[in-house]
Amino acid sequence: MSMYQKMVNVIEQKVTPLAGTMGSQRHVIAIRDGFIAALPFMIIGSFLLVFIFPPFSPDSSWSFARGWLNFSLKYRDQLMLPFNLSMGVMTFFISVGIGASLGKHYQLDPIMTGLLAFMAFLLVAAPYQDGHISTQYFSGQGIFTALITAIYASEMYSFLKRHNITIRLPKEVPTGVARSFEILIPVVVIVFTLHPLNLLIEATTGMILPEAIMHLLAPLVSASDSLPAILISVFICQILWFAGIHGALIVTGIMNPFWMANLSANQTALAAGEALPHIYLQGFWDHYLLIGGVGSTLPLAFLLLRSRAVHLRTIGKMGVVPSFFNINEPILFGTPIIMNPVFFLPFTLVPMINATLAYIATKLGWIAQVVSLTPWTTPAPIGASWAANWAVSPVIMCLICMVMSAVMYYPFLKAYERTLLKQDEERGAQEEENPVTVN
């Protein structure tokens, strides 16, 4: 048995079932749905950063830049309000999204489940001090608390409903009123479990629940921003995709909480005029590692356009425009790259090498870091600049990654092209030897 066949067997027998189980797990799906629900608000909130922190040097003498900078400084508080009510409260949207998703799964009222999850989060993450509610954990620092409390509240609601621990009203009562009474017991249970737990943790450790969770996860959050974490997550994504499984959904579902926490920290540092602490964020993943889609196949699409093989040239024409927007299924399944041993090495190694180059360059301070959340369909050079508050250096890094990808894909593409041309020649010879006769 060849090495390739052994690898295929391992993927089919071990990796695929595990990935399928993870991908269909209700809590993983709910977390993914929660972030998707919050995405529009976070993208718009991030977009406002360019108006709040213009992409010009504070010492710029250009009149347009000077006017923009002065305007931003004068109206900073007013400009920050939409940002604070979108990115600054991302946990609100995430909590409701997770609760609604689990509510649908358990055939509960999604609105009520989402609101219950939201209340559970506020109960532990909004301490009341000196006549004010603290908003410290409404942004990235409270993400892991939002995930835990939303899942707990939704599961508790489902448990009580399954065991008929609820208030039932006569059928004549309007549905909306009946649902309001139905959720009374879950609300009471959530309040009398989470609030005492939060008080106990605070009395014992001096930290409320969100603070304690972030303290426990600090090493993991730090490790998630390292080069090994990048390479491992990219490798898993590529292996799963090579087997025909949407690896990006699984990997991003796991990484999203870390990315959002790190994004919030970068934005806080930007607002304070401090050095940005984190490198590996969603903008890094989308615009350096997925140029044209998983596997960074946009350069490959351009190479396919000039292929001597009609099949590959046709796929290039079909796939090049979607690839600009990081949609590369025509390339993956049309070439094909999926389960094609010729492309296994470049498909796996290209994004890993690009990740290494981009990480080292960012670490050395040559490339501006990510401070904004961008739509994953944004073309790579534009998205990379947007994510870094419209800096120019990410565009240069993207172009370097594209050139590297083309160089690495080229020899494998030519080898595959020769195979296809040889097959076409053999097929043509067979047709000449055995012409089809029509009676």
Side-chain angles (χ1 to χ4, degrees), residues 131-143:
H132 300 283
I133 292 177
S134 172
T135 62
Q136 180 180 357
Y137 298 103
F138 291 176
S139 58
Q141 291 190 61
I143 280 182

Side-chain angles (χ1 to χ4, degrees), residues 166-170 173-183:
T166 184
I167 296 174
R168 296 185 179 277
L169 296 179
V173 175
T175 304
V177 176
R179 286 176 178 172
S180 298
F181 276 87
E182 182 184 274
I183 205 171

Side-chain angles (χ1 to χ4, degrees), residues 5 15 21 143 151 200 272 304 347 353 380 385 412:
Q5 190 57 49
V15 177
T21 301
I143 280 182
I151 290 173
L200 177 63
L304 290 173
F347 182 69
I353 291 173
S385 179
F412 296 92

Side-chain angles (χ1 to χ4, degrees), residues 14-345:
K14 304 292 183 182
V15 177
T16 300
L18 178 61
T21 301
M22 287 183 61
S24 59
Q25 210 278 332
R26 63 182 182 277
H27 298 120
V28 173
I29 293 174
I31 291 172
R32 183 195 67 200
D33 290 347
F35 280 101
I36 290 174
L39 198 57
F41 307 98
M42 294 193 290
I43 288 175
I44 297 300
S46 294
F47 183 75
L48 295 172
L49 282 177
V50 71
F51 299 102
I52 303 169
F53 303 100
F56 306 113
S57 169
D59 302 324
S60 175
S61 58
W62 183 26
S63 59
F64 176 76
R66 192 74 263 150
W68 191 344
L69 287 165
N70 292 337
F71 176 83
S72 171
L73 287 172
K74 183 177 180 179
Y75 297 103
R76 180 65 51 86
D77 291 341
Q78 292 87 338
L79 292 172
M80 284 293 291
L81 181 62
F83 173 81
N84 290 332
L85 294 179
S86 51
M87 284 296 300
V89 293
M90 67 171 76
T91 47
F92 292 6
F93 308 116
I94 292 169
S95 293
V96 174
I98 293 173
S101 178
L102 284 173
K104 289 180 182 177
H105 176 82
Y106 289 124
Q107 297 182 341
L108 302 170
D109 182 353
I111 295 177
M112 287 298 184
T113 314
L115 291 175
L116 184 66
F118 179 43
M119 188 209 72
F121 170 73
L122 289 179
L123 202 60
V124 299
Y128 189 77
Q129 297 174 343
D130 301 326
H132 300 283
I133 292 177
S134 172
T135 62
Q136 180 180 357
Y137 298 103
F138 291 176
S139 58
Q141 291 190 61
I143 280 182
F144 294 100
T145 305
L147 304 185
I148 294 169
T149 53
I151 290 173
Y152 169 73
S154 304
E155 291 290 342
M156 180 58 70
Y157 186 12
S158 173
F159 173 83
L160 295 172
K161 184 70 180 290
R162 286 198 310 270
H163 292 80
N164 292 318
I165 305 174
T166 184
I167 296 174
R168 296 185 179 277
L169 296 179
K171 293 181 179 180
E172 294 75 16
V173 175
T175 304
V177 176
R179 286 176 178 172
S180 298
F181 276 87
E182 182 184 274
I183 205 171
L184 281 177
I185 291 179
V187 169
V188 170
V189 171
I190 296 301
V191 169
F192 282 94
T193 53
L194 285 183
H195 188 50
L197 175 64
N198 199 34
L199 293 176
L200 177 63
I201 291 173
E202 186 176 15
T204 306
T205 65
M207 299 181 287
I208 62 173
L209 185 60
E211 188 179 2
I213 289 173
M214 288 303 294
H215 182 75
L216 288 173
L217 293 177
L220 194 57
V221 172
S222 177
S224 72
D225 193 37
S226 63
L227 182 57
I230 299 174
L231 296 180
I232 290 170
S233 58
V234 173
F235 180 74
I236 292 172
C237 176
Q238 299 306 115
I239 289 294
L240 293 177
W241 256 115
F242 190 75
I245 301 167
H246 202 310
L249 277 181
I250 295 172
V251 172
T252 56
I254 295 170
M255 294 303 301
N256 261 328
F258 299 99
W259 286 341
M260 291 303 119
N262 291 343
L263 178 63
S264 178
N266 274 13
Q267 291 174 341
T268 301
L270 177 67
E274 301 171 352
L276 306 186
H278 300 293
I279 295 175
Y280 188 33
L281 305 173
Q282 186 166 349
F284 187 98
W285 168 273
D286 286 341
H287 305 307
Y288 296 140
L289 316 185
L290 274 67
I291 301 173
V294 66
S296 291
T297 57
L298 179 58
L300 177 61
F302 287 122
L303 293 175
L304 290 173
L305 289 174
R306 300 181 61 84
S307 173
R308 291 185 297 128
V310 176
H311 166 71
L312 296 180
R313 197 162 58 247
T314 303
I315 295 301
K317 292 176 182 177
M318 291 173 54
V320 69
V321 173
S323 290
F324 272 110
F325 304 97
N326 302 322
I327 299 168
N328 65 340
E329 278 76 3
I331 303 292
L332 294 179
F333 294 99
T335 306
I337 292 176
I338 303 301
M339 297 304 288
N340 186 340
V342 176
F343 287 105
F344 174 74
L345 280 178

